[in-house]
Amino acid sequence: MGNLKNYKLGFDLWGLGLFLLIMLPNFVWFAVPAPNDVLRRESVTPLVDAIAQVFQAVMAAALCAVVNTARDNPVKRGYLAGTAACAALYFAGWIAYYAGIANAVVILALCLAPCGAFLVFALGRKNGIALVSGGIFALCHLIFSIVNFLL
């Protein structure tokens, strides 16, 4: 995580933008059901879901409001490319899901790709707080997805 004295409260417009971009398909999904909408099943993992919600909120706050002053400026292109690739895979997953495809590959893409985007972004920003909270969120999100939709 690096030296905590390098962290300060600040505003990361790119962090907020990434979070809103990733959340956009979720807002559409809340309003417009997809065909074969298996994601609307009631969860059988309420404790994992609650833990995921806490760490997602911490991760989002850290992405948007915590800045590591020791990070590289500008962020290296590989991190930007990795974040963009994960976001593109996520949007492709939503396109497939709205096309009626709800198989394991699509479910895992909807689960892992946004987490990957957040984690790669946090790595590029050297934001250990977002990285750790995002990692815990990703693990909980994976457990949720496997147990609720793939088993």
Side-chain angles (χ1 to χ4, degrees), residues 2-29:
N3 190 340
L4 286 178
K5 69 181 177 182
N6 291 334
Y7 290 89
K8 67 174 187 155
L9 288 179
F11 179 66
D12 190 331
L13 181 62
W14 291 104
L16 176 62
L18 176 63
F19 187 75
L20 292 175
L21 179 71
I22 294 297
M23 291 307 294
L24 184 63
N26 293 284
F27 298 139
V28 171
W29 175 77

mmCIF file with all atom_site columns, all heavy atoms in Angstrom, residues 2-29:
data_model
loop_
_atom_site.group_PDB
_atom_site.id
_atom_site.type_symbol
_atom_site.label_atom_id
_atom_site.label_alt_id
_atom_site.label_comp_id
_atom_site.label_asym_id
_atom_site.label_entity_id
_atom_site.label_seq_id
_atom_site.pdbx_PDB_ins_code
_atom_site.Cartn_x
_atom_site.Cartn_y
_atom_site.Cartn_z
_atom_site.occupancy
_atom_site.B_iso_or_equiv
_atom_site.pdbx_formal_charge
_atom_site.auth_seq_id
_atom_site.auth_comp_id
_atom_site.auth_asym_id
_atom_site.auth_atom_id
_atom_site.pdbx_PDB_model_num
ATOM 1   N N   . GLY A 1 2  ? 2.081   1.103  0.328   1.00 0.00 ? 2  GLY A N   1
ATOM 2   C CA  . GLY A 1 2  ? 2.954   2.268  0.338   1.00 0.00 ? 2  GLY A CA  1
ATOM 3   C C   . GLY A 1 2  ? 2.860   3.006  1.656   1.00 0.00 ? 2  GLY A C   1
ATOM 4   O O   . GLY A 1 2  ? 2.196   2.591  2.592   1.00 0.00 ? 2  GLY A O   1
ATOM 5   N N   . ASN A 1 3  ? 3.501   4.118  1.713   1.00 0.00 ? 3  ASN A N   1
ATOM 6   C CA  . ASN A 1 3  ? 3.548   4.935  2.909   1.00 0.00 ? 3  ASN A CA  1
ATOM 7   C C   . ASN A 1 3  ? 2.235   5.710  3.052   1.00 0.00 ? 3  ASN A C   1
ATOM 8   O O   . ASN A 1 3  ? 1.860   6.479  2.173   1.00 0.00 ? 3  ASN A O   1
ATOM 9   C CB  . ASN A 1 3  ? 4.743   5.892  2.800   1.00 0.00 ? 3  ASN A CB  1
ATOM 10  C CG  . ASN A 1 3  ? 5.025   6.599  4.080   1.00 0.00 ? 3  ASN A CG  1
ATOM 11  O OD1 . ASN A 1 3  ? 4.173   6.698  4.947   1.00 0.00 ? 3  ASN A OD1 1
ATOM 12  N ND2 . ASN A 1 3  ? 6.240   7.085  4.202   1.00 0.00 ? 3  ASN A ND2 1
ATOM 13  N N   . LEU A 1 4  ? 1.549   5.521  4.181   1.00 0.00 ? 4  LEU A N   1
ATOM 14  C CA  . LEU A 1 4  ? 0.247   6.171  4.355   1.00 0.00 ? 4  LEU A CA  1
ATOM 15  C C   . LEU A 1 4  ? 0.348   7.688  4.399   1.00 0.00 ? 4  LEU A C   1
ATOM 16  O O   . LEU A 1 4  ? -0.630  8.376  4.119   1.00 0.00 ? 4  LEU A O   1
ATOM 17  C CB  . LEU A 1 4  ? -0.438  5.646  5.616   1.00 0.00 ? 4  LEU A CB  1
ATOM 18  C CG  . LEU A 1 4  ? -1.005  4.230  5.503   1.00 0.00 ? 4  LEU A CG  1
ATOM 19  C CD1 . LEU A 1 4  ? -1.623  3.794  6.825   1.00 0.00 ? 4  LEU A CD1 1
ATOM 20  C CD2 . LEU A 1 4  ? -2.031  4.122  4.384   1.00 0.00 ? 4  LEU A CD2 1
ATOM 21  N N   . LYS A 1 5  ? 1.514   8.220  4.720   1.00 0.00 ? 5  LYS A N   1
ATOM 22  C CA  . LYS A 1 5  ? 1.625   9.684  4.736   1.00 0.00 ? 5  LYS A CA  1
ATOM 23  C C   . LYS A 1 5  ? 1.599   10.275 3.320   1.00 0.00 ? 5  LYS A C   1
ATOM 24  O O   . LYS A 1 5  ? 1.439   11.475 3.152   1.00 0.00 ? 5  LYS A O   1
ATOM 25  C CB  . LYS A 1 5  ? 2.865   10.136 5.503   1.00 0.00 ? 5  LYS A CB  1
ATOM 26  C CG  . LYS A 1 5  ? 4.177   9.827  4.859   1.00 0.00 ? 5  LYS A CG  1
ATOM 27  C CD  . LYS A 1 5  ? 5.321   10.315 5.741   1.00 0.00 ? 5  LYS A CD  1
ATOM 28  C CE  . LYS A 1 5  ? 6.651   9.919  5.102   1.00 0.00 ? 5  LYS A CE  1
ATOM 29  N NZ  . LYS A 1 5  ? 7.770   10.310 5.932   1.00 0.00 ? 5  LYS A NZ  1
ATOM 30  N N   . ASN A 1 6  ? 1.724   9.413  2.295   1.00 0.00 ? 6  ASN A N   1
ATOM 31  C CA  . ASN A 1 6  ? 1.612   9.872  0.913   1.00 0.00 ? 6  ASN A CA  1
ATOM 32  C C   . ASN A 1 6  ? 0.160   10.009 0.455   1.00 0.00 ? 6  ASN A C   1
ATOM 33  O O   . ASN A 1 6  ? -0.100  10.509 -0.632  1.00 0.00 ? 6  ASN A O   1
ATOM 34  C CB  . ASN A 1 6  ? 2.340   8.930  -0.041  1.00 0.00 ? 6  ASN A CB  1
ATOM 35  C CG  . ASN A 1 6  ? 3.838   8.982  0.126   1.00 0.00 ? 6  ASN A CG  1
ATOM 36  O OD1 . ASN A 1 6  ? 4.392   9.989  0.560   1.00 0.00 ? 6  ASN A OD1 1
ATOM 37  N ND2 . ASN A 1 6  ? 4.495   7.882  -0.184  1.00 0.00 ? 6  ASN A ND2 1
ATOM 38  N N   . TYR A 1 7  ? -0.781  9.554  1.284   1.00 0.00 ? 7  TYR A N   1
ATOM 39  C CA  . TYR A 1 7  ? -2.198  9.626  0.922   1.00 0.00 ? 7  TYR A CA  1
ATOM 40  C C   . TYR A 1 7  ? -2.804  10.892 1.486   1.00 0.00 ? 7  TYR A C   1
ATOM 41  O O   . TYR A 1 7  ? -2.525  11.289 2.613   1.00 0.00 ? 7  TYR A O   1
ATOM 42  C CB  . TYR A 1 7  ? -2.958  8.405  1.459   1.00 0.00 ? 7  TYR A CB  1
ATOM 43  C CG  . TYR A 1 7  ? -2.606  7.136  0.741   1.00 0.00 ? 7  TYR A CG  1
ATOM 44  C CD1 . TYR A 1 7  ? -1.558  6.339  1.173   1.00 0.00 ? 7  TYR A CD1 1
ATOM 45  C CD2 . TYR A 1 7  ? -3.313  6.736  -0.385  1.00 0.00 ? 7  TYR A CD2 1
ATOM 46  C CE1 . TYR A 1 7  ? -1.223  5.170  0.508   1.00 0.00 ? 7  TYR A CE1 1
ATOM 47  C CE2 . TYR A 1 7  ? -2.989  5.574  -1.057  1.00 0.00 ? 7  TYR A CE2 1
ATOM 48  C CZ  . TYR A 1 7  ? -1.940  4.800  -0.601  1.00 0.00 ? 7  TYR A CZ  1
ATOM 49  O OH  . TYR A 1 7  ? -1.618  3.656  -1.269  1.00 0.00 ? 7  TYR A OH  1
ATOM 50  N N   . LYS A 1 8  ? -3.660  11.502 0.683   1.00 0.00 ? 8  LYS A N   1
ATOM 51  C CA  . LYS A 1 8  ? -4.390  12.677 1.145   1.00 0.00 ? 8  LYS A CA  1
ATOM 52  C C   . LYS A 1 8  ? -5.782  12.635 0.552   1.00 0.00 ? 8  LYS A C   1
ATOM 53  O O   . LYS A 1 8  ? -6.032  11.975 -0.457  1.00 0.00 ? 8  LYS A O   1
ATOM 54  C CB  . LYS A 1 8  ? -3.673  13.963 0.750   1.00 0.00 ? 8  LYS A CB  1
ATOM 55  C CG  . LYS A 1 8  ? -3.639  14.210 -0.751  1.00 0.00 ? 8  LYS A CG  1
ATOM 56  C CD  . LYS A 1 8  ? -3.043  15.550 -1.090  1.00 0.00 ? 8  LYS A CD  1
ATOM 57  C CE  . LYS A 1 8  ? -3.212  15.761 -2.593  1.00 0.00 ? 8  LYS A CE  1
ATOM 58  N NZ  . LYS A 1 8  ? -3.239  17.134 -2.970  1.00 0.00 ? 8  LYS A NZ  1
ATOM 59  N N   . LEU A 1 9  ? -6.683  13.339 1.215   1.00 0.00 ? 9  LEU A N   1
ATOM 60  C CA  . LEU A 1 9  ? -8.010  13.495 0.644   1.00 0.00 ? 9  LEU A CA  1
ATOM 61  C C   . LEU A 1 9  ? -7.898  14.455 -0.513  1.00 0.00 ? 9  LEU A C   1
ATOM 62  O O   . LEU A 1 9  ? -7.217  15.475 -0.434  1.00 0.00 ? 9  LEU A O   1
ATOM 63  C CB  . LEU A 1 9  ? -8.990  14.017 1.689   1.00 0.00 ? 9  LEU A CB  1
ATOM 64  C CG  . LEU A 1 9  ? -9.408  13.032 2.768   1.00 0.00 ? 9  LEU A CG  1
ATOM 65  C CD1 . LEU A 1 9  ? -10.360 13.701 3.752   1.00 0.00 ? 9  LEU A CD1 1
ATOM 66  C CD2 . LEU A 1 9  ? -10.053 11.801 2.169   1.00 0.00 ? 9  LEU A CD2 1
ATOM 67  N N   . GLY A 1 10 ? -8.531  14.098 -1.576  1.00 0.00 ? 10 GLY A N   1
ATOM 68  C CA  . GLY A 1 10 ? -8.512  14.922 -2.777  1.00 0.00 ? 10 GLY A CA  1
ATOM 69  C C   . GLY A 1 10 ? -9.638  14.475 -3.672  1.00 0.00 ? 10 GLY A C   1
ATOM 70  O O   . GLY A 1 10 ? -10.474 13.667 -3.284  1.00 0.00 ? 10 GLY A O   1
ATOM 71  N N   . PHE A 1 11 ? -9.656  14.968 -4.865  1.00 0.00 ? 11 PHE A N   1
ATOM 72  C CA  . PHE A 1 11 ? -10.705 14.586 -5.806  1.00 0.00 ? 11 PHE A CA  1
ATOM 73  C C   . PHE A 1 11 ? -10.047 14.040 -7.054  1.00 0.00 ? 11 PHE A C   1
ATOM 74  O O   . PHE A 1 11 ? -9.214  14.711 -7.664  1.00 0.00 ? 11 PHE A O   1
ATOM 75  C CB  . PHE A 1 11 ? -11.598 15.780 -6.136  1.00 0.00 ? 11 PHE A CB  1
ATOM 76  C CG  . PHE A 1 11 ? -12.684 15.441 -7.112  1.00 0.00 ? 11 PHE A CG  1
ATOM 77  C CD1 . PHE A 1 11 ? -13.693 14.561 -6.764  1.00 0.00 ? 11 PHE A CD1 1
ATOM 78  C CD2 . PHE A 1 11 ? -12.696 15.985 -8.373  1.00 0.00 ? 11 PHE A CD2 1
ATOM 79  C CE1 . PHE A 1 11 ? -14.694 14.237 -7.665  1.00 0.00 ? 11 PHE A CE1 1
ATOM 80  C CE2 . PHE A 1 11 ? -13.690 15.667 -9.284  1.00 0.00 ? 11 PHE A CE2 1
ATOM 81  C CZ  . PHE A 1 11 ? -14.694 14.791 -8.918  1.00 0.00 ? 11 PHE A CZ  1
ATOM 82  N N   . ASP A 1 12 ? -10.415 12.819 -7.411  1.00 0.00 ? 12 ASP A N   1
ATOM 83  C CA  . ASP A 1 12 ? -9.896  12.205 -8.630  1.00 0.00 ? 12 ASP A CA  1
ATOM 84  C C   . ASP A 1 12 ? -11.055 12.110 -9.618  1.00 0.00 ? 12 ASP A C   1
ATOM 85  O O   . ASP A 1 12 ? -11.887 11.204 -9.528  1.00 0.00 ? 12 ASP A O   1
ATOM 86  C CB  . ASP A 1 12 ? -9.309  10.830 -8.333  1.00 0.00 ? 12 ASP A CB  1
ATOM 87  C CG  . ASP A 1 12 ? -8.536  10.249 -9.503  1.00 0.00 ? 12 ASP A CG  1
ATOM 88  O OD1 . ASP A 1 12 ? -8.873  10.569 -10.664 1.00 0.00 ? 12 ASP A OD1 1
ATOM 89  O OD2 . ASP A 1 12 ? -7.602  9.471  -9.266  1.00 0.00 ? 12 ASP A OD2 1
ATOM 90  N N   . LEU A 1 13 ? -11.119 13.052 -10.532 1.00 0.00 ? 13 LEU A N   1
ATOM 91  C CA  . LEU A 1 13 ? -12.187 13.087 -11.523 1.00 0.00 ? 13 LEU A CA  1
ATOM 92  C C   . LEU A 1 13 ? -12.222 11.807 -12.350 1.00 0.00 ? 13 LEU A C   1
ATOM 93  O O   . LEU A 1 13 ? -13.290 11.295 -12.672 1.00 0.00 ? 13 LEU A O   1
ATOM 94  C CB  . LEU A 1 13 ? -12.022 14.312 -12.433 1.00 0.00 ? 13 LEU A CB  1
ATOM 95  C CG  . LEU A 1 13 ? -13.084 14.498 -13.511 1.00 0.00 ? 13 LEU A CG  1
ATOM 96  C CD1 . LEU A 1 13 ? -14.461 14.685 -12.886 1.00 0.00 ? 13 LEU A CD1 1
ATOM 97  C CD2 . LEU A 1 13 ? -12.743 15.675 -14.393 1.00 0.00 ? 13 LEU A CD2 1
ATOM 98  N N   . TRP A 1 14 ? -11.041 11.261 -12.671 1.00 0.00 ? 14 TRP A N   1
ATOM 99  C CA  . TRP A 1 14 ? -10.980 10.027 -13.455 1.00 0.00 ? 14 TRP A CA  1
ATOM 100 C C   . TRP A 1 14 ? -11.530 8.850  -12.663 1.00 0.00 ? 14 TRP A C   1
ATOM 101 O O   . TRP A 1 14 ? -12.185 7.969  -13.226 1.00 0.00 ? 14 TRP A O   1
ATOM 102 C CB  . TRP A 1 14 ? -9.554  9.752  -13.917 1.00 0.00 ? 14 TRP A CB  1
ATOM 103 C CG  . TRP A 1 14 ? -9.111  10.741 -14.948 1.00 0.00 ? 14 TRP A CG  1
ATOM 104 C CD1 . TRP A 1 14 ? -8.268  11.802 -14.762 1.00 0.00 ? 14 TRP A CD1 1
ATOM 105 C CD2 . TRP A 1 14 ? -9.526  10.787 -16.314 1.00 0.00 ? 14 TRP A CD2 1
ATOM 106 N NE1 . TRP A 1 14 ? -8.118  12.497 -15.934 1.00 0.00 ? 14 TRP A NE1 1
ATOM 107 C CE2 . TRP A 1 14 ? -8.886  11.898 -16.909 1.00 0.00 ? 14 TRP A CE2 1
ATOM 108 C CE3 . TRP A 1 14 ? -10.371 10.013 -17.091 1.00 0.00 ? 14 TRP A CE3 1
ATOM 109 C CZ2 . TRP A 1 14 ? -9.064  12.243 -18.239 1.00 0.00 ? 14 TRP A CZ2 1
ATOM 110 C CZ3 . TRP A 1 14 ? -10.551 10.357 -18.428 1.00 0.00 ? 14 TRP A CZ3 1
ATOM 111 C CH2 . TRP A 1 14 ? -9.903  11.446 -18.991 1.00 0.00 ? 14 TRP A CH2 1
ATOM 112 N N   . GLY A 1 15 ? -11.287 8.817  -11.371 1.00 0.00 ? 15 GLY A N   1
ATOM 113 C CA  . GLY A 1 15 ? -11.841 7.759  -10.527 1.00 0.00 ? 15 GLY A CA  1
ATOM 114 C C   . GLY A 1 15 ? -13.359 7.829  -10.491 1.00 0.00 ? 15 GLY A C   1
ATOM 115 O O   . GLY A 1 15 ? -14.049 6.812  -10.622 1.00 0.00 ? 15 GLY A O   1
ATOM 116 N N   . LEU A 1 16 ? -13.887 9.043  -10.322 1.00 0.00 ? 16 LEU A N   1
ATOM 117 C CA  . LEU A 1 16 ? -15.334 9.213  -10.340 1.00 0.00 ? 16 LEU A CA  1
ATOM 118 C C   . LEU A 1 16 ? -15.896 8.839  -11.703 1.00 0.00 ? 16 LEU A C   1
ATOM 119 O O   . LEU A 1 16 ? -16.907 8.136  -11.796 1.00 0.00 ? 16 LEU A O   1
ATOM 120 C CB  . LEU A 1 16 ? -15.700 10.661 -10.006 1.00 0.00 ? 16 LEU A CB  1
ATOM 121 C CG  . LEU A 1 16 ? -17.191 11.001 -10.082 1.00 0.00 ? 16 LEU A CG  1
ATOM 122 C CD1 . LEU A 1 16 ? -17.998 10.187 -9.086  1.00 0.00 ? 16 LEU A CD1 1
ATOM 123 C CD2 . LEU A 1 16 ? -17.394 12.493 -9.863  1.00 0.00 ? 16 LEU A CD2 1
ATOM 124 N N   . GLY A 1 17 ? -15.228 9.269  -12.763 1.00 0.00 ? 17 GLY A N   1
ATOM 125 C CA  . GLY A 1 17 ? -15.693 8.948  -14.113 1.00 0.00 ? 17 GLY A CA  1
ATOM 126 C C   . GLY A 1 17 ? -15.728 7.455  -14.366 1.00 0.00 ? 17 GLY A C   1
ATOM 127 O O   . GLY A 1 17 ? -16.704 6.937  -14.937 1.00 0.00 ? 17 GLY A O   1
ATOM 128 N N   . LEU A 1 18 ? -14.682 6.751  -13.941 1.00 0.00 ? 18 LEU A N   1
ATOM 129 C CA  . LEU A 1 18 ? -14.659 5.294  -14.125 1.00 0.00 ? 18 LEU A CA  1
ATOM 130 C C   . LEU A 1 18 ? -15.788 4.648  -13.340 1.00 0.00 ? 18 LEU A C   1
ATOM 131 O O   . LEU A 1 18 ? -16.493 3.779  -13.867 1.00 0.00 ? 18 LEU A O   1
ATOM 132 C CB  . LEU A 1 18 ? -13.307 4.715  -13.697 1.00 0.00 ? 18 LEU A CB  1
ATOM 133 C CG  . LEU A 1 18 ? -13.214 3.191  -13.749 1.00 0.00 ? 18 LEU A CG  1
ATOM 134 C CD1 . LEU A 1 18 ? -13.377 2.674  -15.182 1.00 0.00 ? 18 LEU A CD1 1
ATOM 135 C CD2 . LEU A 1 18 ? -11.908 2.713  -13.151 1.00 0.00 ? 18 LEU A CD2 1
ATOM 136 N N   . PHE A 1 19 ? -15.972 5.061  -12.105 1.00 0.00 ? 19 PHE A N   1
ATOM 137 C CA  . PHE A 1 19 ? -17.029 4.460  -11.290 1.00 0.00 ? 19 PHE A CA  1
ATOM 138 C C   . PHE A 1 19 ? -18.398 4.682  -11.934 1.00 0.00 ? 19 PHE A C   1
ATOM 139 O O   . PHE A 1 19 ? -19.203 3.747  -12.045 1.00 0.00 ? 19 PHE A O   1
ATOM 140 C CB  . PHE A 1 19 ? -17.003 5.004  -9.859  1.00 0.00 ? 19 PHE A CB  1
ATOM 141 C CG  . PHE A 1 19 ? -17.955 4.293  -8.955  1.00 0.00 ? 19 PHE A CG  1
ATOM 142 C CD1 . PHE A 1 19 ? -17.670 3.017  -8.482  1.00 0.00 ? 19 PHE A CD1 1
ATOM 143 C CD2 . PHE A 1 19 ? -19.159 4.876  -8.606  1.00 0.00 ? 19 PHE A CD2 1
ATOM 144 C CE1 . PHE A 1 19 ? -18.570 2.346  -7.671  1.00 0.00 ? 19 PHE A CE1 1
ATOM 145 C CE2 . PHE A 1 19 ? -20.060 4.213  -7.792  1.00 0.00 ? 19 PHE A CE2 1
ATOM 146 C CZ  . PHE A 1 19 ? -19.764 2.943  -7.310  1.00 0.00 ? 19 PHE A CZ  1
ATOM 147 N N   . LEU A 1 20 ? -18.671 5.894  -12.376 1.00 0.00 ? 20 LEU A N   1
ATOM 148 C CA  . LEU A 1 20 ? -19.962 6.181  -13.016 1.00 0.00 ? 20 LEU A CA  1
ATOM 149 C C   . LEU A 1 20 ? -20.130 5.419  -14.332 1.00 0.00 ? 20 LEU A C   1
ATOM 150 O O   . LEU A 1 20 ? -21.219 4.924  -14.635 1.00 0.00 ? 20 LEU A O   1
ATOM 151 C CB  . LEU A 1 20 ? -20.129 7.680  -13.230 1.00 0.00 ? 20 LEU A CB  1
ATOM 152 C CG  . LEU A 1 20 ? -20.275 8.510  -11.955 1.00 0.00 ? 20 LEU A CG  1
ATOM 153 C CD1 . LEU A 1 20 ? -20.308 10.000 -12.291 1.00 0.00 ? 20 LEU A CD1 1
ATOM 154 C CD2 . LEU A 1 20 ? -21.499 8.099  -11.158 1.00 0.00 ? 20 LEU A CD2 1
ATOM 155 N N   . LEU A 1 21 ? -19.045 5.310  -15.104 1.00 0.00 ? 21 LEU A N   1
ATOM 156 C CA  . LEU A 1 21 ? -19.091 4.561  -16.361 1.00 0.00 ? 21 LEU A CA  1
ATOM 157 C C   . LEU A 1 21 ? -19.445 3.099  -16.104 1.00 0.00 ? 21 LEU A C   1
ATOM 158 O O   . LEU A 1 21 ? -20.297 2.522  -16.790 1.00 0.00 ? 21 LEU A O   1
ATOM 159 C CB  . LEU A 1 21 ? -17.743 4.654  -17.087 1.00 0.00 ? 21 LEU A CB  1
ATOM 160 C CG  . LEU A 1 21 ? -17.638 3.891  -18.398 1.00 0.00 ? 21 LEU A CG  1
ATOM 161 C CD1 . LEU A 1 21 ? -18.475 4.576  -19.478 1.00 0.00 ? 21 LEU A CD1 1
ATOM 162 C CD2 . LEU A 1 21 ? -16.185 3.787  -18.834 1.00 0.00 ? 21 LEU A CD2 1
ATOM 163 N N   . ILE A 1 22 ? -18.808 2.507  -15.107 1.00 0.00 ? 22 ILE A N   1
ATOM 164 C CA  . ILE A 1 22 ? -19.069 1.104  -14.785 1.00 0.00 ? 22 ILE A CA  1
ATOM 165 C C   . ILE A 1 22 ? -20.485 0.928  -14.227 1.00 0.00 ? 22 ILE A C   1
ATOM 166 O O   . ILE A 1 22 ? -21.138 -0.082 -14.473 1.00 0.00 ? 22 ILE A O   1
ATOM 167 C CB  . ILE A 1 22 ? -18.003 0.569  -13.798 1.00 0.00 ? 22 ILE A CB  1
ATOM 168 C CG1 . ILE A 1 22 ? -16.619 0.527  -14.463 1.00 0.00 ? 22 ILE A CG1 1
ATOM 169 C CG2 . ILE A 1 22 ? -18.393 -0.802 -13.249 1.00 0.00 ? 22 ILE A CG2 1
ATOM 170 C CD1 . ILE A 1 22 ? -16.470 -0.405 -15.647 1.00 0.00 ? 22 ILE A CD1 1
ATOM 171 N N   . MET A 1 23 ? -20.968 1.902  -13.496 1.00 0.00 ? 23 MET A N   1
ATOM 172 C CA  . MET A 1 23 ? -22.305 1.793  -12.912 1.00 0.00 ? 23 MET A CA  1
ATOM 173 C C   . MET A 1 23 ? -23.421 2.048  -13.925 1.00 0.00 ? 23 MET A C   1
ATOM 174 O O   . MET A 1 23 ? -24.553 1.592  -13.723 1.00 0.00 ? 23 MET A O   1
ATOM 175 C CB  . MET A 1 23 ? -22.445 2.762  -11.730 1.00 0.00 ? 23 MET A CB  1
ATOM 176 C CG  . MET A 1 23 ? -21.600 2.384  -10.532 1.00 0.00 ? 23 MET A CG  1
ATOM 177 S SD  . MET A 1 23 ? -21.847 0.685  -9.953  1.00 0.00 ? 23 MET A SD  1
ATOM 178 C CE  . MET A 1 23 ? -23.544 0.779  -9.398  1.00 0.00 ? 23 MET A CE  1
ATOM 179 N N   . LEU A 1 24 ? -23.130 2.710  -15.028 1.00 0.00 ? 24 LEU A N   1
ATOM 180 C CA  . LEU A 1 24 ? -24.147 3.063  -16.020 1.00 0.00 ? 24 LEU A CA  1
ATOM 181 C C   . LEU A 1 24 ? -25.004 1.871  -16.470 1.00 0.00 ? 24 LEU A C   1
ATOM 182 O O   . LEU A 1 24 ? -26.241 1.960  -16.440 1.00 0.00 ? 24 LEU A O   1
ATOM 183 C CB  . LEU A 1 24 ? -23.503 3.764  -17.217 1.00 0.00 ? 24 LEU A CB  1
ATOM 184 C CG  . LEU A 1 24 ? -24.448 4.278  -18.285 1.00 0.00 ? 24 LEU A CG  1
ATOM 185 C CD1 . LEU A 1 24 ? -25.381 5.350  -17.713 1.00 0.00 ? 24 LEU A CD1 1
ATOM 186 C CD2 . LEU A 1 24 ? -23.655 4.839  -19.444 1.00 0.00 ? 24 LEU A CD2 1
ATOM 187 N N   . PRO A 1 25 ? -24.411 0.734  -16.871 1.00 0.00 ? 25 PRO A N   1
ATOM 188 C CA  . PRO A 1 25 ? -25.261 -0.397 -17.277 1.00 0.00 ? 25 PRO A CA  1
ATOM 189 C C   . PRO A 1 25 ? -26.145 -0.910 -16.140 1.00 0.00 ? 25 PRO A C   1
ATOM 190 O O   . PRO A 1 25 ? -27.243 -1.408 -16.378 1.00 0.00 ? 25 PRO A O   1
ATOM 191 C CB  . PRO A 1 25 ? -24.268 -1.474 -17.713 1.00 0.00 ? 25 PRO A CB  1
ATOM 192 C CG  . PRO A 1 25 ? -22.991 -0.763 -17.951 1.00 0.00 ? 25 PRO A CG  1
ATOM 193 C CD  . PRO A 1 25 ? -22.999 0.440  -17.080 1.00 0.00 ? 25 PRO A CD  1
ATOM 194 N N   . ASN A 1 26 ? -25.672 -0.774 -14.901 1.00 0.00 ? 26 ASN A N   1
ATOM 195 C CA  . ASN A 1 26 ? -26.491 -1.199 -13.763 1.00 0.00 ? 26 ASN A CA  1
ATOM 196 C C   . ASN A 1 26 ? -27.744 -0.333 -13.635 1.00 0.00 ? 26 ASN A C   1
ATOM 197 O O   . ASN A 1 26 ? -28.819 -0.846 -13.332 1.00 0.00 ? 26 ASN A O   1
ATOM 198 C CB  . ASN A 1 26 ? -25.666 -1.125 -12.468 1.00 0.00 ? 26 ASN A CB  1
ATOM 199 C CG  . ASN A 1 26 ? -24.557 -2.140 -12.464 1.00 0.00 ? 26 ASN A CG  1
ATOM 200 O OD1 . ASN A 1 26 ? -24.776 -3.315 -12.252 1.00 0.00 ? 26 ASN A OD1 1
ATOM 201 N ND2 . ASN A 1 26 ? -23.346 -1.682 -12.728 1.00 0.00 ? 26 ASN A ND2 1
ATOM 202 N N   . PHE A 1 27 ? -27.595 0.963  -13.873 1.00 0.00 ? 27 PHE A N   1
ATOM 203 C CA  . PHE A 1 27 ? -28.752 1.856  -13.827 1.00 0.00 ? 27 PHE A CA  1
ATOM 204 C C   . PHE A 1 27 ? -29.755 1.479  -14.918 1.00 0.00 ? 27 PHE A C   1
ATOM 205 O O   . PHE A 1 27 ? -30.968 1.487  -14.676 1.00 0.00 ? 27 PHE A O   1
ATOM 206 C CB  . PHE A 1 27 ? -28.328 3.319  -13.959 1.00 0.00 ? 27 PHE A CB  1
ATOM 207 C CG  . PHE A 1 27 ? -27.432 3.797  -12.846 1.00 0.00 ? 27 PHE A CG  1
ATOM 208 C CD1 . PHE A 1 27 ? -26.345 4.610  -13.124 1.00 0.00 ? 27 PHE A CD1 1
ATOM 209 C CD2 . PHE A 1 27 ? -27.644 3.432  -11.526 1.00 0.00 ? 27 PHE A CD2 1
ATOM 210 C CE1 . PHE A 1 27 ? -25.509 5.059  -12.110 1.00 0.00 ? 27 PHE A CE1 1
ATOM 211 C CE2 . PHE A 1 27 ? -26.820 3.872  -10.498 1.00 0.00 ? 27 PHE A CE2 1
ATOM 212 C CZ  . PHE A 1 27 ? -25.750 4.695  -10.796 1.00 0.00 ? 27 PHE A CZ  1
ATOM 213 N N   . VAL A 1 28 ? -29.255 1.163  -16.097 1.00 0.00 ? 28 VAL A N   1
ATOM 214 C CA  . VAL A 1 28 ? -30.131 0.721  -17.188 1.00 0.00 ? 28 VAL A CA  1
ATOM 215 C C   . VAL A 1 28 ? -30.830 -0.576 -16.774 1.00 0.00 ? 28 VAL A C   1
ATOM 216 O O   . VAL A 1 28 ? -32.047 -0.722 -16.938 1.00 0.00 ? 28 VAL A O   1
ATOM 217 C CB  . VAL A 1 28 ? -29.333 0.529  -18.498 1.00 0.00 ? 28 VAL A CB  1
ATOM 218 C CG1 . VAL A 1 28 ? -30.191 -0.134 -19.571 1.00 0.00 ? 28 VAL A CG1 1
ATOM 219 C CG2 . VAL A 1 28 ? -28.770 1.861  -18.982 1.00 0.00 ? 28 VAL A CG2 1
ATOM 220 N N   . TRP A 1 29 ? -30.071 -1.513 -16.217 1.00 0.00 ? 29 TRP A N   1
ATOM 221 C CA  . TRP A 1 29 ? -30.628 -2.811 -15.813 1.00 0.00 ? 29 TRP A CA  1
ATOM 222 C C   . TRP A 1 29 ? -31.707 -2.650 -14.750 1.00 0.00 ? 29 TRP A C   1
ATOM 223 O O   . TRP A 1 29 ? -32.714 -3.359 -14.765 1.00 0.00 ? 29 TRP A O   1
ATOM 224 C CB  . TRP A 1 29 ? -29.495 -3.719 -15.318 1.00 0.00 ? 29 TRP A CB  1
ATOM 225 C CG  . TRP A 1 29 ? -29.973 -5.020 -14.786 1.00 0.00 ? 29 TRP A CG  1
ATOM 226 C CD1 . TRP A 1 29 ? -30.390 -6.113 -15.500 1.00 0.00 ? 29 TRP A CD1 1
ATOM 227 C CD2 . TRP A 1 29 ? -30.086 -5.388 -13.411 1.00 0.00 ? 29 TRP A CD2 1
ATOM 228 N NE1 . TRP A 1 29 ? -30.760 -7.130 -14.657 1.00 0.00 ? 29 TRP A NE1 1
ATOM 229 C CE2 . TRP A 1 29 ? -30.579 -6.703 -13.358 1.00 0.00 ? 29 TRP A CE2 1
ATOM 230 C CE3 . TRP A 1 29 ? -29.820 -4.734 -12.224 1.00 0.00 ? 29 TRP A CE3 1
ATOM 231 C CZ2 . TRP A 1 29 ? -30.805 -7.381 -12.165 1.00 0.00 ? 29 TRP A CZ2 1
ATOM 232 C CZ3 . TRP A 1 29 ? -30.045 -5.405 -11.031 1.00 0.00 ? 29 TRP A CZ3 1
ATOM 233 C CH2 . TRP A 1 29 ? -30.535 -6.712 -11.012 1.00 0.00 ? 29 TRP A CH2 1
#
